[in-house]
């Protein structure tokens, strides 16, 4: 029971559920809803609604993997999430890794993987640990805190900015822009504001790439700016590292503290060393699944789990449902830090498997170890506030007491 919404009624009519409406993820019993989709409509033809075209929604683990791995029949180049799939595509198509296919994707990914290899990230892990220890110790000394704002906000953006060599003075603004692009804590997210934020980030990286090309350092922006990439590819990929690296990591760390507070026995097992931090990290990733869905467009008629989806269809893959599929995970609604095996789909699968998975895991592990060492008990002292999004799931406010 990871959600705040489990006390609400599950939907009666699956055709009436609007998976593109952020409100659905606040107002519905998501556990009951996804169980019904997996059992009754694993490959669901989601009707057009509210001016948005129809799309398909895949909720079972095996079908999700099949779509992620089928690079022949599915493309990312016309968008890889509802926001772009339903509005004519992504303007970064063919330039940004996540929305580029085939040979160019492989070339660019190889270059970017070098900049994110465990070897390069080795010393970053140390920096993450000391940053987290400082924040958690300060937070613990204050006692009452909002974990989302006082601790989690500083961590992923700090790490990714270290890697990109972003000056300290620019980081706060980038964090605000990153939050504005992906999700919102407002009830009616402002589309214009999202587009403006994206453009502002692109402009920022245009200037920074220019500067680093003339005067390269040992940061990722310099590596990309002095490589075979076109100027647009450099700018879009720097942007995507902030977008990909900030919010999802932040939400998994906030979700972890929420889960510890709600599951004192699991917290005790972690504190006592009965479960390893590595195993805890995997369960946190499964439990929180911050990126609820990704998507593809079908290039041809293609069968998914026995249902034929027509060429041109937008197909969304719901990681948040697949990670709770009882066909794969025993008692999926149990938060079990010792769960094994735990082959969740939180980082996706196939050619577009998350480039930052190593970094995402390293950050969570540093956070888990630091909390385990410095905090005795974690209690919620108010209602968490949930994000308003059809893409990201998690909390933007989490008032807690650390002792
Ligand atoms: C791709 C989730 C952290 C950068 C992906 C995908 C998922 C994902 C599901 C696959 C998208 C698709 O198939 O369309 C997450 C989660 C994270 C996380 C849940 C944290 C808990 C990071 C970090 C970075 C990052 C820290 C940056 C350093 C990327 C990039 C891609 C990607 C660049 C595109 C890879 C490609 O298309 O080849 N991520 N991510 N992510 N992620 Fe992450």
């Amino acid at each position: 029971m990871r959600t705040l919404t489990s006390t609400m009624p599950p939907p009666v009519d699956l055709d009436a559920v609007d998976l593109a409406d952020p409100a659905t993820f606040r107002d519905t019993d998501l556990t009951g809803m996804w169980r019904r989709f997996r059992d009754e409509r694993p490959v669901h033809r989601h009707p057009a609604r509210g001016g948005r075209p129809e799309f398909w929604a895949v909720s079972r683990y095996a079908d999700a993997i099949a779509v992620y791995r089928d690079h022949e029949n599915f493309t990312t180049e016309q968008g890889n999430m509802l926001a772009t799939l339903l509005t004519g595509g992504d303007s970064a198509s063919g330039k940004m890794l996540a929305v580029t296919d085939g040979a160019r994707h492989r070339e660019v990914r190889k270059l970017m993987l070098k900049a994110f290899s465990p070897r390069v990230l080795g010393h970053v892990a140390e920096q993450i640990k000391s940053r987290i220890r400082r924040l958690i110790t300060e937070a613990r000394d204050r006692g009452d805190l909002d974990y989302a704002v006082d601790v989690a906000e500083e961590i992923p953006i700090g790490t990714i900015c270290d890697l990109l060599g972003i000056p300290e003075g620019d980081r706060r603004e980038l964090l605000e822009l990153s939050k504005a692009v992906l999700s919102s804590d407002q009830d009616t997210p402002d589309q214009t504001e999202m587009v403006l934020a994206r453009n502002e980030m692109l402009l920022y990286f245009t200037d920074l790439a220019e500067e680093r090309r003339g005067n390269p350092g040992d940061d990722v922006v310099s590596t990309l700016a002095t490589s075979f990439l076109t100027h647009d590819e450099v700018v879009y990929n720097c942007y995507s590292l902030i977008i990909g690296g900030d919010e999802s990591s932040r939400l998994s760390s906030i979700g972890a503290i929420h889960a510890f507070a709600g599951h004192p026995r699991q917290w005790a097992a972690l504190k006592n060393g009965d479960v390893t931090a590595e195993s805890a990290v995997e369960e946190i990733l499964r439990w929180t699944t911050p990126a609820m869905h990704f998507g593809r467009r079908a290039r041809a008629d293609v069968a998914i789990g026995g249902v034929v989806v027509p060429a041109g269809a937008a197909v969304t893959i719901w990681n948040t449902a697949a990670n709770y599929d009882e066909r794969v995970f025993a008692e999926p609604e149990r938060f079990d830090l010792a769960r094994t095996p735990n082959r969740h789909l939180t980082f996706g699968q196939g050619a577009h498997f998350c480039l930052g998975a190593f970094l995402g895991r390293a950050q969570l592990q540093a956070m888990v170890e630091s909390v385990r060492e410095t905090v005795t008990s974690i209690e919620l002292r108010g209602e968490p506030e949930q994000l308003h999004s059809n893409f990201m799931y998690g909390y933007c406010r989490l008032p807690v007491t650390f002792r």
Side-chain angles (χ1 to χ4, degrees):
M1 198 182 59
R2 124 195 88 132
T3 66
L4 295 176
T5 46
S6 54
T7 49
M8 299 181 179
V12 178
D13 177 6
L14 293 183
D15 281 319
V17 174
D18 189 348
L19 292 173
D21 181 358
T24 300
F25 304 94
R26 276 189 177 178
D27 304 342
T28 317
D29 162 19
L30 297 175
T31 304
M33 179 187 88
W34 286 122
R35 190 181 303 119
R36 284 201 52 204
F37 271 117
R38 283 189 303 267
D39 289 347
E40 298 169 36
R41 281 309 168 78
V43 182
H44 171 62
R45 185 173 189 161
H46 188 293
R49 188 169 300 120
R52 288 182 289 253
E54 73 164 27
F55 61 94
W56 295 72
V58 170
S59 49
R60 280 192 193 165
Y61 184 90
D63 296 335
I65 293 214
V67 178
Y68 271 129
R69 288 190 183 157
D70 186 350
H71 308 299
E72 233 176 82
N73 287 311
F74 293 102
T75 172
T76 62
E77 296 205 346
Q78 293 174 44
N80 72 340
M81 56 194 280
L82 278 171
T84 47
L85 280 167
L86 301 188
T87 55
D90 194 318
S91 55
S93 170
K95 298 176 212 147
M96 187 166 83
L97 198 61
V99 283
T100 300
D101 294 330
R104 190 60 177 172
H105 174 260
R106 283 191 291 278
E107 284 163 11
V108 177
R109 185 167 166 107
K110 201 166 149 202
L111 171 75
M112 291 178 73
L113 270 176
K114 265 197 225 146
F116 281 87
S117 69
R119 191 181 56 81
V120 177
L121 294 179
H123 77 283
V124 177
E126 279 317 305
Q127 284 172 337
I128 302 172
K129 276 191 190 151
S130 62
R131 177 175 281 132
I132 294 184
R133 278 209 191 95
R134 176 179 56 77
L135 286 167
I136 288 185
T137 313
E138 284 170 15
R140 186 202 53 194
D141 294 347
R142 278 201 306 274
D144 289 347
L145 70 145
D146 183 332
Y147 181 82
V149 176
D150 299 330
V151 182
E153 209 163 90
E154 307 271 335
I155 301 166
I157 196 84
T159 312
I160 198 77
C161 287
D162 282 351
L163 283 164
L164 294 175
I166 309 276
E168 280 291 342
D170 299 344
R171 296 183 178 194
R172 170 80 6 213
E173 197 190 337
L174 280 178
L175 173 68
E176 293 309 323
L177 292 174
S178 153
K179 288 206 250 175
V181 170
L182 273 192
S183 61
S184 180
D185 39 16
Q186 298 154 24
D187 283 346
T188 45
D190 184 336
Q191 291 298 327
T192 320
E193 205 179 295
M194 285 171 158
V195 173
L196 284 176
R198 177 172 166 133
N199 286 345
E200 236 176 280
M201 278 174 95
L202 292 172
L203 280 176
Y204 177 83
F205 283 112
T206 298
D207 290 346
L208 193 65
E210 203 61 58
E211 189 189 308
R212 297 283 156 86
R213 207 169 282 128
N215 184 19
D218 62 358
D219 57 274
V220 175
V221 179
S222 299
T223 307
L224 300 186
T226 54
S227 72
F228 60 85
L229 298 189
T230 65
H231 176 73
D232 278 1
E233 284 175 324
V234 174
V235 170
Y236 275 112
N237 282 304
C238 288
Y239 160 84
S240 84
L241 290 173
I242 300 269
I243 293 299
D246 172 39
E247 183 134 35
S248 47
S249 302
R250 185 150 40 84
L251 294 177
S252 59
S253 136
I254 299 167
I257 297 296
H258 181 252
F260 292 156
H263 300 83
R265 274 203 224 133
Q266 290 295 313
W267 165 245
L270 181 68
K271 258 314 263 179
N272 300 340
D274 295 343
V275 289
T276 62
E278 286 84 352
S279 166
V281 163
E282 296 311 311
E283 181 66 344
I284 292 164
L285 286 166
R286 183 192 75 88
W287 186 256
T288 56
T289 318
M292 286 194 287
H293 78 267
F294 272 98
R296 305 286 187 258
R297 196 167 284 279
R299 294 186 215 256
D301 291 359
V302 52
I304 311 169
V307 178
V308 176
V309 167
V315 177
T316 50
I317 310 157
W318 291 84
N319 300 333
T320 193
N323 275 346
Y324 284 75
D325 188 344
E326 36 296 272
R327 290 154 197 80
V328 175
F329 300 95
E331 295 184 75
E333 292 301 328
R334 199 154 61 84
F335 180 59
D336 176 9
L337 295 176
R339 183 179 291 278
T340 178
N342 194 353
R343 285 191 273 277
H344 57 75
L345 293 183
T346 302
F347 291 123
Q349 269 277 321
H352 290 277
F353 180 79
C354 179
L355 185 91
F358 180 87
L359 183 59
R361 287 189 160 110
Q363 296 195 76
L364 260 188
Q365 183 159 338
M367 174 273 202
V368 164
E369 286 171 356
S370 312
V371 182
R372 171 158 85 175
E373 283 160 25
T374 46
V375 178
T376 311
S377 76
I378 303 172
E379 278 163 37
L380 285 188
R381 68 176 167 85
E383 279 300 302
E385 191 182 319
Q386 199 184 311
L387 279 184
H388 197 70
S389 170
N390 65 17
F391 178 56
M392 286 282 158
Y393 187 90
Y395 308 114
C396 50
R397 298 263 183 283
L398 187 70
V400 287
T401 305
F402 276 179
R403 288 191 217 292

